[in-house]
Amino acid sequence: MTRAHSQPPASRAGLCPSEHFPGVTSTTYLNAAGIGLTPLPVAQSTADYVMDLAVRGTVAYFETVEKLGERSKLEGSKLFGCDPQNIALTDSTAEAICQFAWWVAPKRGQNVVVIDIDHPSPIYPWLRIAADTGAEIRYVRVEQEPQSLTPERLAALTDRNTVAISVSHVLWTSGYRFDLRALADLAHSVGAYLVVDATQSAGVIPLDVVAMNVDFLAASAFKWMLSHSGVALCYIRPQIAERMRPLLVGNNSTGRTLSSRPAGYDTSRIVYPDGVARLQYASSCHVARHTLGGALEYLNRIGIGNIERHVLKLCKQLGEGLSRLGAEVLTPEPDQARAGIVTARFPNWTGEDLSERLAQHQVVTLPRLNGVRFAPHLYNDSEDIARALEVVEALASGSAS
Ligand SMILES: Cc1ncc(COP(=O)(O)O)c(C=O)c1O
C-alpha cells in the first residue's frame, strides 16, 4: 500500500475552512449519516456556555434559555421553509413522532404504511400503538432488493383505511430520497397524514415543508445539522397543531418557562400555547440547543443549496468510482433520488468487515444492508472520495494489509 493510503491530503477544497473540522484532516471522515462533525468555533462557543453555567448557574440559565430556543427555531425555519413559530424543539425525532402518533391513535381496521428498511423512529411509535389497538402496520418489503423501492410500492398499500404514511425523507440504509410532494398527494388522496422523518436530509437538502405539503416533519440534530443528540426540530402543519392534544405534559406545557414566570404555576389546569409549541413540555437539553443554533447559523451562512450541490457531486464521484471497482451500488443514481448517502455492497466482503478494514486505514464509514454506507458532508472534498476509493481498491485487490 502506498503512503497516500495512510496519509490524508494536506490541502482541502470543502465548502468551509479546514481548520473548523480537524477530524477531516486527521481521518477521511465519511459518516455524516452517523454523526456529523461540529464546526470547531461552534463547539468552542458551547464549551464556553457550559463553563458559564457551571460558574453562574441560574443567572446564566435565565439570561439564555429563551434566546437559545428562539435562535434554533429561527435558523431551523430557514432549513424547513416555514415560520419559526411552526417549529417545536423536541428531545428526539422518535419523541416527536410518538406525540403525533398517539394523538392520531390508529384503531383496529385502520392502517399505517411504512418501509421495512426504514429507521425505527418513524415505525416503532405506530407499532407500539398498534399493540394496544389492533391497528395494522403495513410494510413495503424491500430488504431483499433495496433497489426495488419506488413510490408506487407505497401507493399499492395505501387505501381508504390508511391514516398515515410514515417514512424517512432519505433512508438511512440505502440513501433513497423520496419526492415528498408526491407522497403528500398520495396520503391526502385517501385522507391520510404524511409523517416524515427528515433526519437524513435536513442540513444537506433544501426543504420546503409548505410547498411539499407535508403534515408532520421532524429531524434530529446530530447528523447533517452538525449538532448533538438531545434535540430535534419538529414542524406540524399549523391547522393540525392547533387541534393537537399532547401526550406528554410538564412544566413547559403552558409555553412559558420558569424564568418568565417567577410567581410559579397554576397547577389546577393546563392552558396550551398556540400551535406546535405545545409539544415542548419539560426541561430539556439547552446545551444541545446552544450547539444547534450555532451550527444552523453556520450551515445557513454557506447555504443549503450550495451544500446540496457540493455533496451530490461527491456522491456522484463515489457512486461511479464504486461501480468501477465492481461494487453493487444500492443507492439510486439520479440526483433527485438521493442525498448525501451512497451505500454499496462488495463481492467477497461483508459490510461489517469492509467498514472495519476501512476504519483501520482511517476511512470512517458504517456498515448498512450488508454493504458500506458512505456519507460525505460540506467539510469533505473530492480528494477524500478519491482516497476512500483508493483504499477500497487496495483492500479489494489484496494489496493493502
Ligand atoms: C432516519 C433516522 N431517524 C432518526 C434517527 C435517530 O433519531 P432519534 O433517536 O432522535 O429518534 C436516525 C439515526 O440515528 C435516523 O437515521
Side-chain angles (χ1 to χ4, degrees), residues 33-34 91-95 118-119 121-122 168 170-172 197 199-200 220 222-223 232 373:
D91 293 353
S92 67
T93 295
E95 178 202 294
D118 206 339
H119 195 268
S121 295
S168 292
V170 172
L171 295 188
W172 70 307
D197 177 340
T199 300
Q200 295 292 358
S220 299
F222 59 101
K223 298 175 187 289
R373 183 185 68 186

